[in-house]
Amino acid sequence: MVGRNDQCPCGSGKKYKKCCEGNQQATVTAVFHEEIENVLQTFYSTYPDRGDIREYMELVQNWLPKLENKLQYELIQAICLDDYFFHHRTDIWTGYLKRTTKKMVRPATVATLASWEKPRFFVGQVTRVEEIYFEAKCTLTDELFMIRRENNRAIPEGMHIFAFLLHDGSEGVNHMLAASTLIFFPTNHGNVFEKFRAMFDKSGKAMYEFVQENHIEFWINLVNAGYAGEEFTSFEQDVILQAKEFLASKNVESDKLIMALEDYLVEQQPTARKAGAIAAGAIRFGQDRGLFDAKFTVKEIAESFGVSASSLNKYHQELLAYHAVAV
């Protein structure tokens, strides 16, 4: 075993602690996270098995009439799946953990799986965003959690979220990851979260018992408030739709532009009298950044969206400034 003050085995001539020790620790951490992610992926690809499908589909059919007019069937299936595993058939989840733990060698992995026995239902609001985690405040208990980010997409402060959380195995207190579905909601649904908190306070029940009995009520309240599975407000959806329609009319494909526009919308929360002004600015931004090959004049873009060149340029400049910082 190489000591911290020994010469690094890489041959650099430096002490191990000043050279490759940090890389070794980073590699161990990466392998650990890959291992626990694989535990989750294996579970969701294996269960529910053939013997449990009927019972799970009965739960889905119970939720459908209350949600299907607004939510896509695939989303209803996803939220029902976690409800099934973590509120109805907890024996499937805990049995899988026990069998999997016996195969593990790393003490850190064994300890992490031991903490996963009862995933935590979480609804809350993003309060701070970091490179690897974002901080969120639980609506029901006011506790703060650091939740591991699933990708580098923008997460604006103030957005509301839903997930079942598991400890991520780090040394940080309340550092968590989503068991499967991590859903972000537009900021205009905050009243639904407040109503759910009021229901919880009035019930006088422990949190696990309350959410086990009232999980579906949370989604019913969201649907009744106009939620339709979107991550964007109606105005933001209009901006994205107009940009997509312009590109389609010109036979141009640019997923990178739409992704850049979505990040800008959710993080910067721009305001405009016309959604077309932001969409037009996005088209010029995409052109300037080489996100598609076609070329359009400012006049052509502005006229297509029915906005002035000055309005177009305002949001074009904002997008350039935002992504210059983001990069």
Side-chain angles (χ1 to χ4, degrees):
M1 181 176 178
V2 182
R4 296 188 72 237
N5 290 311
D6 294 340
Q7 279 203 344
C8 188
C10 76
S12 66
K14 298 178 181 179
K15 290 184 178 181
Y16 180 56
K17 67 182 181 182
K18 295 289 187 179
C19 192
C20 290
E21 182 183 26
N23 293 336
Q24 178 67 22
Q25 290 173 343
T27 300
V28 170
T29 300
V31 170
F32 166 73
H33 284 296
E34 182 178 345
E35 191 167 56
I36 62 174
E37 284 291 343
N38 185 59
V39 170
L40 287 172
Q41 290 174 13
T42 301
F43 176 75
Y44 281 98
S45 64
T46 306
Y47 298 95
D49 61 22
R50 183 177 300 178
D52 303 316
I53 285 290
R54 181 175 180 178
E55 185 180 28
Y56 161 62
M57 290 308 301
E58 287 176 354
L59 179 64
V60 173
Q61 292 303 317
N62 181 49
W63 283 48
L64 270 176
K66 303 166 186 177
L67 304 175
E68 63 180 342
N69 290 335
K70 290 289 184 70
L71 302 185
Q72 292 184 353
Y73 182 66
E74 291 77 11
L75 177 57
I76 297 174
Q77 282 186 308
I79 57 181
C80 278
L81 191 62
D82 283 349
D83 189 70
Y84 176 70
F85 289 137
F86 305 143
H87 286 159
H88 294 270
R89 289 296 307 277
T90 56
D91 59 301
I92 296 175
W93 170 248
T94 55
Y96 169 75
L97 289 180
K98 289 178 182 178
R99 292 189 297 274
T100 302
T101 300
K102 292 178 181 178
K103 304 174 186 176
M104 294 300 167
V105 176
R106 300 174 188 276
T109 305
V110 172
T112 299
L113 297 188
S115 73
W116 283 10
E117 185 171 341
K118 188 175 289 187
R120 182 189 177 98
F121 176 95
F122 183 89
V123 289
Q125 189 170 26
V126 177
T127 54
R128 180 164 52 91
V129 180
E130 298 180 353
E131 182 179 357
I132 299 176
Y133 297 91
F134 64 88
E135 182 186 72
K137 183 178 181 180
C138 178
T139 296
L140 301 183
T141 65
D142 294 328
E143 293 173 275
L144 292 175
F145 292 87
M146 299 298 294
I147 302 174
R148 181 171 285 272
R149 298 178 63 168
E150 296 183 331
N151 51 53
N152 293 324
R153 298 297 302 276
I155 303 174
E157 293 181 7
M159 287 197 82
H160 289 83
I161 63 169
F162 160 86
F164 277 89
L165 299 179
L166 303 167
H167 195 273
D168 77 340
S170 69
E171 296 180 359
V173 177
N174 284 352
H175 280 53
M176 317 293 278
L177 56 80
S180 61
T181 308
L182 176 59
I183 301 176
F184 291 86
F185 304 93
T187 54
N188 55 343
H189 291 305
N191 61 320
V192 174
F193 288 76
E194 293 173 2
K195 182 177 181 179
F196 201 57
R197 170 63 184 262
M199 288 176 59
F200 172 59
D201 290 342
K202 186 177 180 180
S203 72
K205 296 181 177 180
M207 192 181 79
Y208 182 81
E209 181 183 3
F210 171 78
V211 296
Q212 188 177 30
E213 296 175 0
N214 295 282
H215 182 188
I216 190 172
E217 295 300 321
F218 170 74
W219 292 98
I220 291 173
N221 290 337
L222 274 170
V223 165
N224 289 341
Y227 176 69
E230 75 282 359
E231 192 173 318
F232 305 98
T233 66
S234 57
F235 178 80
E236 291 165 349
Q237 291 179 69
D238 192 13
V239 173
I240 296 166
L241 178 61
Q242 289 194 42
K244 287 181 175 179
E245 288 179 341
F246 176 88
L247 293 171
S249 71
K250 306 296 183 183
N251 295 316
V252 174
E253 293 185 7
S254 183
D255 292 340
K256 290 182 178 179
L257 171 59
I258 299 304
M259 186 178 295
L261 176 58
E262 291 175 349
D263 285 352
Y264 164 72
L265 288 171
V266 298
E267 188 161 4
Q268 297 300 107
Q269 299 285 298
T271 57
R273 191 172 64 85
K274 284 187 174 183
I278 301 176
I283 298 300
R284 187 179 178 194
F285 163 79
Q287 181 172 281
D288 287 355
R289 295 293 289 266
L291 301 182
F292 53 80
D293 294 330
K295 298 295 182 183
F296 311 104
T297 65
V298 171
K299 181 179 179 182
E300 183 181 0
I301 299 172
E303 288 180 349
S304 295
F305 288 93
V307 300
S308 67
S310 61
S311 294
L312 177 159
N313 286 328
K314 177 181 186 297
Y315 296 103
H316 165 241
Q317 292 298 324
E318 283 193 8
L319 276 155
L320 286 173
Y322 166 68
H323 282 283
V325 173
V327 171

